[in-house]
Amino acid sequence: MRIGRASETVRKCPLTFELGGEGGVLFFVDGKWFAARNRCPHQQFEKLHEGEVEGTIVTCPMHGWKFDLRSGLSVNAGGRLRMWNVVEKNGDVFVDRGEAQ
Ligand code: FES
């Protein structure tokens, strides 16, 4: 799914979107895009877009679980965010629900 022009999208990050009936969130960190299902594996709150981002670490604002956007893995608890494929092509950003590598 096309999210939008990269130059405009970057200013809106963390940006929420809907894809196939699921909520997603798009981040832009250190020149790279990261897309995740916007659902914390702890108690399933969909608030990651309101979390603090430090480098590639996003903190769920509900109870403080931290996740590395490069892998989706929690760095201070259990669980893993589901990371989705995101690509920039011809100045547009696209996300699909395939597992990010
Ligand atoms: S729901 Fe995210 S840390 Fe509890």
Side-chain angles (χ1 to χ4, degrees):
M1 180 183 91
R2 180 182 177 273
I3 301 293
R5 295 295 293 169
S7 56
E8 296 160 14
T9 302
V10 72
R11 290 195 292 271
K12 300 175 186 168
C13 286
L15 176 69
T16 58
F17 59 91
E18 189 85 12
L19 180 59
E22 294 185 309
V25 57
L26 183 67
F27 299 90
F28 188 78
V29 177
D30 295 337
K32 291 188 70 175
W33 298 101
F34 298 94
R37 185 182 185 195
N38 191 12
R39 180 176 293 185
C40 180
H42 177 217
Q43 290 187 358
Q44 314 302 315
F45 283 97
E46 299 184 345
K47 295 281 190 183
L48 291 165
H49 61 288
E50 296 178 5
E52 188 175 328
V53 180
E54 293 176 274
T56 59
I57 306 296
V58 59
T59 302
C60 178
M62 300 309 292
H63 315 100
W65 284 26
K66 295 175 182 282
F67 302 92
D68 192 328
L69 294 170
R70 294 171 297 183
S71 63
L73 289 169
S74 174
V75 296
N76 68 342
R80 181 176 189 263
L81 295 181
R82 192 182 311 162
M83 302 303 298
W84 292 340
N85 287 325
V86 51
V87 294
E88 184 177 327
K89 191 173 176 185
N90 299 327
D92 288 335
V93 182
F94 298 86
V95 175
D96 68 60
R97 291 192 298 163
E99 188 85 9
Q101 300 301 311

XYZ file of all heavy atoms in Angstrom:
801
model
N 0.830 -1.175 0.000
C 0.000 0.000 0.000
C 0.882 1.248 0.000
O 1.866 1.306 0.723
C -0.873 0.001 1.266
C -1.787 1.215 1.350
S -2.744 1.233 2.886
C -1.641 2.164 3.943
N 0.495 2.206 -0.836
C 1.248 3.457 -0.861
C 0.847 4.302 0.340
O -0.343 4.516 0.581
C 0.951 4.220 -2.158
C 1.679 5.532 -2.271
C 1.299 6.244 -3.569
N 1.930 7.543 -3.664
C 1.426 8.665 -3.157
N 0.282 8.646 -2.506
N 2.069 9.804 -3.284
N 1.835 4.763 1.080
C 1.579 5.624 2.238
C 1.543 7.083 1.799
O 0.682 7.844 2.211
C 2.663 5.430 3.316
C 2.711 3.977 3.792
C 2.439 6.390 4.482
C 1.484 3.524 4.548
N 2.505 7.475 0.955
C 2.535 8.850 0.483
C 3.916 9.223 -0.007
O 4.813 8.368 -0.089
N 4.069 10.488 -0.346
C 5.378 10.981 -0.764
C 6.338 10.926 0.428
O 5.995 11.360 1.538
C 5.294 12.419 -1.270
C 4.484 12.612 -2.533
C 5.091 11.920 -3.738
N 6.365 12.506 -4.143
C 7.182 11.938 -5.034
N 6.872 10.766 -5.588
N 8.305 12.528 -5.368
N 7.515 10.434 0.190
C 8.484 10.301 1.276
C 8.779 11.643 1.928
O 8.857 11.749 3.149
C 9.768 9.665 0.746
N 8.921 12.673 1.126
C 9.293 13.986 1.652
C 8.227 14.551 2.588
O 8.543 15.283 3.526
C 9.549 14.958 0.499
O 8.409 15.022 -0.342
N 6.981 14.212 2.348
C 5.895 14.680 3.221
C 5.677 13.716 4.384
O 5.414 14.130 5.515
C 4.599 14.817 2.412
C 4.687 15.870 1.331
C 3.629 15.683 0.243
O 2.680 14.906 0.455
O 3.788 16.309 -0.820
N 5.794 12.433 4.106
C 5.549 11.409 5.119
C 6.544 11.511 6.259
O 6.192 11.335 7.429
C 5.628 10.010 4.479
O 4.670 9.944 3.431
C 5.345 8.921 5.488
N 7.786 11.829 5.943
C 8.823 11.860 6.973
C 8.487 12.864 8.072
O 8.793 12.640 9.246
C 10.205 12.143 6.326
C 10.305 13.582 5.851
C 11.333 11.785 7.253
N 7.813 13.923 7.716
C 7.472 14.952 8.707
C 6.319 14.529 9.606
O 6.097 15.128 10.646
C 7.103 16.261 7.995
C 8.286 16.938 7.327
C 7.958 18.369 6.970
N 6.950 18.481 5.923
C 7.207 18.516 4.619
N 8.465 18.457 4.212
N 6.247 18.619 3.733
N 5.579 13.506 9.193
C 4.405 13.070 9.962
C 4.719 11.893 10.886
O 3.855 11.448 11.635
C 3.285 12.664 9.012
C 2.825 13.785 8.093
C 1.792 13.260 7.109
C 1.423 14.306 6.078
N 0.645 13.731 4.966
N 5.920 11.362 10.790
C 6.270 10.179 11.583
C 6.404 10.522 13.058
O 6.880 11.611 13.378
C 7.578 9.573 11.068
S 7.377 8.690 9.510
N 6.018 9.607 13.958
C 5.416 8.315 13.698
C 4.002 8.483 13.124
O 3.179 9.175 13.707
C 5.361 7.639 15.060
C 6.247 8.435 15.967
C 6.257 9.817 15.407
N 3.772 7.846 12.024
C 2.528 7.999 11.282
C 1.707 6.709 11.374
O 2.214 5.632 11.085
C 2.862 8.293 9.819
C 1.674 8.381 8.860
C 0.839 9.617 9.159
C 2.163 8.412 7.422
N 0.467 6.845 11.770
C -0.396 5.666 11.822
C -1.093 5.489 10.479
O -1.337 6.458 9.753
C -1.448 5.785 12.936
O -2.220 6.956 12.725
C -0.795 5.837 14.303
N -1.404 4.245 10.178
C -2.130 3.927 8.946
C -2.886 2.625 9.151
O -2.671 1.907 10.142
C -1.158 3.817 7.753
C -0.090 2.777 7.932
C -0.283 1.481 7.495
C 1.109 3.101 8.550
C 0.685 0.509 7.686
C 2.088 2.136 8.739
C 1.882 0.849 8.300
N -3.769 2.327 8.243
C -4.582 1.119 8.304
C -4.217 0.247 7.107
O -4.147 0.747 5.977
C -6.066 1.517 8.240
C -7.023 0.405 8.502
C -7.279 0.182 9.994
O -6.883 1.036 10.808
O -7.866 -0.854 10.314
N -3.977 -1.020 7.351
C -3.598 -1.907 6.258
C -4.239 -3.268 6.485
O -3.935 -3.937 7.478
C -2.064 -2.028 6.197
C -1.476 -2.914 5.105
C -1.892 -2.451 3.727
C 0.047 -2.935 5.218
N -5.130 -3.637 5.594
C -5.771 -4.950 5.694
C -6.509 -5.153 7.007
O -6.514 -6.252 7.552
N -7.092 -4.093 7.524
C -7.856 -4.216 8.759
C -7.031 -4.137 10.025
O -7.557 -4.288 11.129
N -5.729 -3.918 9.873
C -4.858 -3.796 11.044
C -4.229 -2.411 11.066
O -3.936 -1.834 10.017
C -3.755 -4.844 11.025
C -4.269 -6.257 11.180
C -3.146 -7.262 11.282
O -2.241 -7.244 10.424
O -3.178 -8.068 12.212
N -3.999 -1.929 12.261
C -3.334 -0.643 12.411
C -1.827 -0.796 12.316
O -1.261 -1.743 12.857
N -1.206 0.128 11.611
C 0.242 0.125 11.504
C 0.807 1.464 11.929
O 0.081 2.453 12.084
N 2.108 1.486 12.127
C 2.787 2.743 12.455
C 4.120 2.766 11.716
O 4.822 1.767 11.640
C 2.959 2.914 13.986
C 3.709 1.755 14.616
C 3.638 4.254 14.310
N 4.400 3.906 11.153
C 5.606 4.085 10.348
C 6.547 5.047 11.057
O 6.129 6.113 11.530
C 5.206 4.657 8.983
C 6.297 4.868 7.946
C 6.865 3.527 7.493
C 5.735 5.631 6.753
N 7.818 4.647 11.145
C 8.847 5.468 11.772
C 9.927 5.779 10.732
O 10.158 4.991 9.808
C 9.528 4.719 12.923
C 8.609 4.323 14.046
C 7.960 3.094 14.031
C 8.395 5.163 15.127
C 7.118 2.713 15.068
C 7.558 4.798 16.175
C 6.923 3.574 16.137
N 10.585 6.898 10.916
C 11.758 7.230 10.100
C 12.883 7.591 11.068
O 12.804 8.578 11.791
C 11.451 8.410 9.174
C 12.543 8.692 8.178
C 12.688 7.918 7.042
C 13.435 9.742 8.385
C 13.690 8.165 6.111
C 14.442 10.009 7.469
C 14.565 9.217 6.331
N 13.907 6.730 11.100
C 14.991 6.886 12.070
C 16.328 6.745 11.353
O 16.558 5.751 10.648
C 14.898 5.800 13.175
C 16.080 5.925 14.132
C 13.590 5.902 13.927
N 17.183 7.726 11.551
C 18.532 7.671 10.974
C 18.514 7.340 9.487
O 19.284 6.516 8.998
C 19.401 6.632 11.713
C 19.653 7.036 13.164
O 19.567 8.243 13.469
O 19.939 6.142 13.974
N 17.587 7.958 8.771
C 17.540 7.785 7.333
C 16.898 6.498 6.861
O 16.964 6.173 5.675
N 16.300 5.745 7.799
C 15.679 4.474 7.407
C 14.221 4.430 7.849
O 13.855 4.962 8.894
C 16.425 3.282 8.040
C 17.814 3.072 7.477
C 18.432 1.793 7.988
C 17.737 0.585 7.390
N 18.392 -0.684 7.768
N 13.409 3.745 7.049
C 12.000 3.548 7.369
C 11.834 2.257 8.149
O 12.489 1.258 7.862
C 11.178 3.434 6.079
C 11.216 4.641 5.212
C 11.964 4.817 4.081
C 10.474 5.853 5.384
N 11.724 6.063 3.563
C 10.816 6.721 4.339
C 9.545 6.284 6.347
C 10.263 7.990 4.210
C 9.004 7.554 6.220
C 9.359 8.397 5.162
N 10.912 2.293 9.111
C 10.522 1.091 9.843
C 9.000 1.104 9.958
O 8.414 2.128 10.335
C 11.123 1.073 11.256
C 12.626 1.062 11.276
C 13.333 2.246 11.388
C 13.323 -0.131 11.176
C 14.721 2.252 11.398
C 14.711 -0.150 11.186
C 15.410 1.054 11.297
N 8.382 -0.013 9.637
C 6.929 -0.123 9.766
C 6.622 -1.293 10.691
O 7.250 -2.351 10.606
C 6.285 -0.356 8.402
N 5.663 -1.084 11.563
C 5.279 -2.131 12.510
C 3.770 -2.149 12.656
O 3.098 -1.130 12.472
C 5.911 -1.885 13.883
N 3.272 -3.305 13.007
C 1.892 -3.368 13.442
C 1.810 -2.539 14.731
O 2.638 -2.704 15.631
C 1.514 -4.828 13.715
C 0.069 -5.045 14.067
C -0.132 -6.522 14.346
N -1.527 -6.818 14.575
C -1.950 -7.950 15.121
N -1.069 -8.881 15.459
N -3.224 -8.168 15.306
N 0.830 -1.674 14.794
C 0.745 -0.762 15.935
C 0.036 -1.430 17.105
O -1.010 -0.965 17.569
C 0.019 0.522 15.525
C 0.134 1.610 16.568
O 0.935 1.504 17.495
N -0.652 2.662 16.412
N 0.614 -2.539 17.555
C 0.007 -3.270 18.671
C 1.111 -3.846 19.545
O 1.904 -4.674 19.103
C -0.892 -4.378 18.146
C -1.554 -5.166 19.279
C -2.515 -6.191 18.779
N -3.676 -5.561 18.159
C -4.723 -6.233 17.709
N -4.753 -7.537 17.786
N -5.730 -5.601 17.165
N 1.132 -3.395 20.780
C 2.165 -3.874 21.708
C 1.868 -5.311 22.116
O 0.726 -5.635 22.469
C 2.186 -2.963 22.935
S 3.416 -3.438 24.157
N 2.881 -6.191 22.108
C 2.636 -7.582 22.482
C 2.358 -7.767 23.973
O 1.965 -8.862 24.381
C 3.931 -8.300 22.066
C 4.962 -7.234 22.050
C 4.255 -5.968 21.666
N 2.552 -6.731 24.769
C 2.288 -6.873 26.201
C 0.784 -6.996 26.464
O 0.310 -8.068 26.793
C 2.889 -5.687 26.979
C 2.593 -5.732 28.448
N 2.331 -4.615 29.178
C 2.490 -6.784 29.304
C 2.089 -4.971 30.453
N 2.197 -6.272 30.536
N 0.051 -5.914 26.299
C -1.393 -5.985 26.545
C -2.197 -5.484 25.344
O -3.345 -5.059 25.497
C -1.765 -5.205 27.811
C -1.261 -5.899 29.072
C -1.747 -5.241 30.349
O -2.446 -4.238 30.336
N -1.356 -5.799 31.478
N -1.573 -5.543 24.191
C -2.270 -5.299 22.916
C -2.749 -3.860 22.723
O -3.609 -3.610 21.883
C -3.453 -6.267 22.736
C -3.142 -7.719 23.061
C -2.012 -8.291 22.230
O -1.962 -8.093 21.025
N -1.076 -8.974 22.852
N -2.231 -2.934 23.502
C -2.613 -1.544 23.269
C -2.020 -1.066 21.942
O -0.911 -1.465 21.564
C -2.135 -0.641 24.407
C -2.978 -0.728 25.639
C -2.605 -1.552 26.694
C -4.155 0.000 25.749
C -3.385 -1.643 27.837
C -4.946 -0.088 26.896
C -4.559 -0.913 27.946
N -2.754 -0.214 21.260
C -2.316 0.294 19.962
C -1.875 1.746 20.112
O -2.492 2.670 19.580
C -3.436 0.127 18.940
C -3.810 -1.352 18.773
C -4.842 -1.607 17.704
O -5.503 -0.664 17.250
O -4.974 -2.787 17.306
N -0.794 1.914 20.883
C -0.340 3.260 21.245
C 1.128 3.496 20.916
O 1.713 4.471 21.406
C -0.534 3.471 22.759
C -1.973 3.461 23.214
C -2.634 4.781 22.909
C -3.994 4.891 23.569
N -4.661 6.141 23.229
N 1.701 2.626 20.106
C 3.148 2.773 19.865
C 3.479 4.102 19.200
O 4.568 4.644 19.393
C 3.653 1.604 19.016
C 3.630 0.263 19.757
C 3.782 -0.882 18.782
C 4.710 0.237 20.821
N 2.548 4.643 18.442
C 2.791 5.924 17.771
C 2.915 7.080 18.763
O 3.401 8.136 18.421
C 1.664 6.221 16.767
C 0.321 6.342 17.405
N -0.370 5.258 17.905
C -0.457 7.427 17.645
C -1.525 5.672 18.419
N -1.593 6.980 18.275
N 2.482 6.841 20.010
C 2.610 7.872 21.039
C 3.836 7.637 21.913
O 4.082 8.385 22.854
C 1.352 7.906 21.927
C 0.101 8.306 21.168
C -1.144 8.300 22.039
O -1.051 8.073 23.257
O -2.235 8.527 21.483
N 4.586 6.600 21.599
C 5.754 6.260 22.411
C 6.958 7.124 22.083
O 7.079 7.684 20.995
N 7.854 7.195 23.048
C 9.103 7.928 22.839
C 10.016 7.116 21.935
O 10.083 5.890 22.043
C 9.773 8.143 24.203
C 10.975 9.064 24.156
C 11.515 9.324 25.558
O 10.722 9.332 26.506
O 12.737 9.508 25.671
N 10.709 7.797 21.048
C 11.650 7.128 20.153
C 13.044 7.686 20.406
O 13.268 8.888 20.346
C 11.267 7.349 18.668
C 12.257 6.637 17.750
C 9.850 6.868 18.395
N 13.963 6.792 20.759
C 15.363 7.172 20.969
C 16.210 6.262 20.103
O 16.296 5.058 20.374
C 15.764 6.985 22.435
C 15.069 7.918 23.392
C 15.455 7.608 24.837
O 14.799 6.732 25.444
O 16.417 8.223 25.323
N 16.820 6.825 19.067
C 17.507 5.973 18.113
C 16.495 5.015 17.522
O 15.415 5.442 17.100
N 16.813 3.734 17.526
C 15.882 2.755 16.960
C 15.005 2.115 18.028
O 14.327 1.120 17.759
C 16.633 1.647 16.195
O 17.535 0.996 17.084
C 17.398 2.208 14.999
N 15.014 2.665 19.234
C 14.216 2.094 20.326
C 12.938 2.908 20.517
O 12.987 4.126 20.731
C 15.003 2.081 21.654
C 16.342 1.364 21.491
C 14.156 1.448 22.766
C 16.250 -0.109 21.147
N 11.804 2.221 20.443
C 10.524 2.869 20.727
C 9.991 2.277 22.034
O 10.089 1.076 22.268
C 9.509 2.687 19.575
C 9.212 1.226 19.291
C 8.216 3.448 19.876
N 9.471 3.171 22.871
C 8.943 2.752 24.166
C 7.423 2.828 24.147
O 6.857 3.893 23.857
C 9.474 3.662 25.293
O 10.898 3.608 25.296
C 8.947 3.215 26.655
N 6.781 1.727 24.441
C 5.318 1.734 24.539
C 4.927 2.637 25.706
O 5.432 2.465 26.825
C 4.792 0.312 24.748
S 2.986 0.266 24.947
N 4.044 3.606 25.463
C 3.708 4.553 26.531
C 2.835 3.962 27.630
O 2.638 4.601 28.661
C 2.957 5.668 25.778
C 2.347 4.974 24.607
C 3.331 3.895 24.216
N 2.342 2.747 27.448
C 1.423 2.192 28.432
C 2.159 1.687 29.674
O 1.815 2.041 30.796
C 0.590 1.067 27.798
C -0.243 1.523 26.600
S -1.244 2.988 26.925
C -2.425 2.337 28.107
N 3.181 0.835 29.472
C 3.891 0.267 30.624
C 5.401 0.220 30.416
O 6.111 -0.435 31.170
C 3.389 -1.148 30.928
C 1.901 -1.274 30.911
N 1.214 -1.777 29.824
C 0.973 -0.909 31.833
C -0.095 -1.744 30.087
N -0.266 -1.211 31.286
N 5.863 0.855 29.384
C 7.303 1.028 29.234
C 8.088 -0.078 28.569
O 9.321 -0.058 28.615
N 7.424 -1.018 27.945
C 8.201 -2.006 27.202
C 8.893 -1.305 26.031
O 8.283 -0.477 25.345
C 7.302 -3.123 26.675
C 6.878 -4.121 27.714
C 6.767 -3.929 29.060
C 6.492 -5.482 27.477
N 6.334 -5.071 29.664
C 6.151 -6.042 28.735
C 6.384 -6.264 26.332
C 5.732 -7.367 28.861
C 5.956 -7.585 26.467
C 5.644 -8.121 27.716
N 10.137 -1.676 25.806
C 10.934 -1.047 24.753
C 11.222 -2.058 23.646
O 11.519 -3.225 23.940
C 12.277 -0.544 25.329
C 12.126 0.564 26.359
C 13.469 0.925 26.974
C 13.331 1.993 28.044
N 13.169 3.330 27.499
N 11.178 -1.577 22.415
C 11.386 -2.447 21.250
C 12.401 -1.823 20.317
O 12.388 -0.609 20.080
C 10.062 -2.660 20.500
C 8.993 -3.261 21.363
C 8.100 -2.435 22.049
C 8.882 -4.631 21.516
C 7.117 -2.978 22.865
C 7.900 -5.192 22.332
C 7.020 -4.354 23.008
N 13.249 -2.676 19.771
C 14.202 -2.226 18.761
C 13.545 -2.369 17.393
O 13.167 -3.475 16.985
C 15.476 -3.074 18.833
C 16.603 -2.467 18.016
O 16.314 -1.815 16.979
O 17.765 -2.638 18.413
N 13.418 -1.257 16.707
C 12.728 -1.258 15.414
C 13.479 -2.063 14.352
O 12.900 -2.445 13.343
C 12.521 0.179 14.931
C 11.569 1.012 15.802
C 11.619 2.483 15.374
C 10.158 0.472 15.717
N 14.752 -2.324 14.573
C 15.509 -3.096 13.585
C 15.094 -4.564 13.581
O 15.201 -5.239 12.571
C 17.013 -2.977 13.857
C 17.534 -1.558 13.634
C 18.946 -1.410 14.099
N 19.048 -1.639 15.536
C 20.156 -1.528 16.237
N 21.282 -1.202 15.646
N 20.148 -1.742 17.538
N 14.626 -5.052 14.723
C 14.249 -6.466 14.820
C 12.816 -6.660 15.303
O 12.238 -7.731 15.126
C 15.186 -7.189 15.791
O 15.040 -6.633 17.098
N 12.277 -5.655 15.964
C 10.978 -5.780 16.603
C 11.062 -6.355 18.009
O 10.095 -6.338 18.762
N 12.229 -6.857 18.389
C 12.378 -7.525 19.683
C 12.390 -6.530 20.833
O 12.973 -5.445 20.729
C 13.676 -8.336 19.717
C 13.692 -9.583 18.848
C 15.114 -10.148 18.755
C 12.753 -10.638 19.423
N 11.776 -6.942 21.917
C 11.835 -6.130 23.124
C 13.259 -6.178 23.676
O 13.914 -7.224 23.654
C 10.856 -6.647 24.176
O 11.035 -5.920 25.373
N 13.700 -5.047 24.212
C 15.040 -5.009 24.801
C 14.970 -4.973 26.327
O 16.008 -5.006 26.987
C 15.865 -3.803 24.283
C 16.108 -3.937 22.789
C 15.177 -2.473 24.604
N 13.769 -4.915 26.905
C 13.677 -4.898 28.370
C 12.576 -5.819 28.911
O 12.290 -5.795 30.093
C 13.457 -3.466 28.880
C 12.093 -2.903 28.513
O 11.428 -3.413 27.613
N 11.681 -1.862 29.203
N 11.963 -6.575 28.025
C 10.888 -7.478 28.456
C 10.815 -8.611 27.436
O 11.771 -8.849 26.703
C 9.569 -6.715 28.541
N 9.680 -9.259 27.349
C 9.527 -10.309 26.348
C 8.771 -9.773 25.156
O 8.388 -8.616 25.100
N 8.584 -10.606 24.195
C 7.735 -10.228 23.076
C 8.459 -9.538 21.945
O 9.636 -9.183 22.040
N 7.730 -9.386 20.891
C 8.296 -8.842 19.666
C 7.194 -8.154 18.892
O 6.090 -8.688 18.755
C 8.879 -10.004 18.848
C 9.536 -9.623 17.548
C 10.153 -10.871 16.907
N 10.972 -10.525 15.768
C 10.540 -10.576 14.519
N 9.325 -10.970 14.250
N 11.360 -10.233 13.528
N 7.504 -6.984 18.389
C 6.587 -6.302 17.482
C 6.598 -7.018 16.148
O 7.640 -7.527 15.719
C 7.028 -4.860 17.223
C 7.030 -3.890 18.382
C 7.491 -2.521 17.881
C 5.640 -3.796 18.980
N 5.476 -7.021 15.487
C 5.466 -7.550 14.134
C 5.915 -6.438 13.191
O 5.254 -5.413 13.073
C 4.091 -8.060 13.742
C 4.193 -8.855 12.449
C 2.896 -9.373 11.942
N 2.103 -10.064 12.937
C 0.792 -10.284 12.784
N 0.178 -9.882 11.706
N 0.105 -10.909 13.718
N 7.044 -6.634 12.574
C 7.599 -5.623 11.678
C 7.185 -5.944 10.245
O 7.210 -7.102 9.821
C 9.135 -5.605 11.781
C 9.665 -5.325 13.187
S 9.078 -3.775 13.918
C 9.761 -2.567 12.769
N 6.812 -4.912 9.508
C 6.340 -5.080 8.144
C 7.351 -4.512 7.148
O 8.151 -3.624 7.477
C 5.004 -4.369 7.976
C 3.871 -4.988 8.732
C 3.798 -6.267 9.207
C 2.644 -4.356 9.098
N 2.593 -6.474 9.837
C 1.862 -5.310 9.784
C 2.131 -3.083 8.912
C 0.598 -5.032 10.283
C 0.858 -2.811 9.411
C 0.105 -3.775 10.080
N 7.245 -4.990 5.943
C 8.105 -4.481 4.872
C 7.764 -3.032 4.557
O 6.588 -2.687 4.443
C 7.904 -5.283 3.584
C 8.506 -6.653 3.658
O 9.545 -6.853 4.271
N 7.849 -7.611 3.032
N 8.776 -2.229 4.395
C 8.568 -0.859 3.950
C 9.671 -0.524 2.945
O 10.835 -0.851 3.164
C 8.532 0.136 5.134
C 9.720 -0.014 6.046
C 8.397 1.573 4.661
N 9.280 0.059 1.826
C 10.251 0.425 0.808
C 9.928 1.838 0.302
O 8.774 2.262 0.302
C 10.265 -0.540 -0.400
C 10.743 -1.914 0.019
C 8.922 -0.612 -1.075
N 10.982 2.512 -0.085
C 10.828 3.808 -0.746
C 11.198 3.614 -2.210
O 12.260 3.084 -2.520
C 11.746 4.846 -0.090
C 11.553 6.237 -0.664
C 12.417 7.279 0.027
O 12.677 7.147 1.247
O 12.848 8.215 -0.667
N 10.297 4.030 -3.083
C 10.512 3.818 -4.508
C 10.024 5.049 -5.263
O 8.865 5.470 -5.088
C 9.727 2.580 -4.958
C 10.041 2.093 -6.333
C 9.324 0.767 -6.563
C 9.533 0.288 -7.982
N 8.761 -0.926 -8.257
N 10.881 5.616 -6.050
C 10.550 6.808 -6.841
C 9.934 7.923 -5.994
O 9.018 8.619 -6.423
C 9.595 6.451 -7.991
C 10.198 5.455 -8.952
O 11.418 5.472 -9.169
N 9.386 4.585 -9.505
N 10.441 8.045 -4.763
C 9.987 9.126 -3.897
C 8.717 8.842 -3.127
O 8.245 9.696 -2.373
N 8.166 7.643 -3.285
C 6.974 7.258 -2.530
C 7.339 6.165 -1.523
O 8.271 5.390 -1.744
C 5.885 6.713 -3.455
C 5.243 7.798 -4.293
O 5.255 8.965 -3.869
O 4.726 7.469 -5.374
N 6.546 6.089 -0.449
C 6.758 5.071 0.574
C 5.634 4.048 0.486
O 4.454 4.419 0.403
C 6.767 5.697 1.992
C 7.037 4.629 3.047
C 7.809 6.799 2.072
N 6.019 2.780 0.505
C 5.054 1.680 0.406
C 5.267 0.720 1.577
O 6.415 0.454 1.966
C 5.250 0.895 -0.902
C 5.030 1.689 -2.134
C 6.051 2.444 -2.693
C 3.779 1.688 -2.762
C 5.844 3.192 -3.850
C 3.569 2.422 -3.909
C 4.598 3.181 -4.455
N 4.162 0.195 2.098
C 4.233 -0.791 3.169
C 3.381 -1.984 2.784
O 2.311 -1.828 2.180
C 3.711 -0.207 4.504
C 3.659 -1.265 5.593
C 4.576 0.965 4.955
N 3.872 -3.178 3.084
C 3.010 -4.346 2.996
C 3.192 -5.164 4.259
O 4.110 -4.906 5.052
C 3.271 -5.172 1.729
C 4.616 -5.857 1.739
O 4.878 -6.678 2.649
O 5.432 -5.564 0.839
N 2.322 -6.127 4.461
C 2.353 -6.850 5.723
C 3.280 -8.051 5.707
O 3.240 -8.881 6.610
C 0.930 -7.263 6.128
C 0.116 -6.044 6.515
C -1.177 -6.436 7.177
N -2.023 -7.213 6.291
C -3.048 -7.952 6.696
N -3.352 -8.024 7.945
N -3.768 -8.601 5.810
N 4.128 -8.115 4.722
C 5.163 -9.135 4.742
C 6.127 -8.854 5.879
O 6.306 -7.715 6.292
N 6.722 -9.922 6.378
C 7.660 -9.778 7.499
C 8.916 -9.052 7.030
O 9.534 -9.450 6.046
C 8.029 -11.164 8.027
C 8.841 -11.156 9.282
C 7.982 -11.047 10.535
O 6.740 -11.138 10.428
O 8.551 -10.862 11.608
N 9.284 -7.974 7.737
C 10.503 -7.242 7.395
C 11.713 -8.130 7.659
O 11.748 -8.891 8.609
C 10.589 -5.960 8.212
N 12.699 -8.037 6.802
C 13.919 -8.855 6.966
C 14.954 -8.110 7.778
O 15.091 -6.940 7.683
C 14.505 -9.198 5.591
C 13.549 -9.979 4.726
C 13.107 -11.298 5.340
O 13.938 -12.068 5.790
N 11.817 -11.542 5.378
S 0.784 -2.487 26.487
Fe 2.747 -1.872 25.836
S 3.967 -2.043 27.597
Fe 2.012 -2.698 28.240
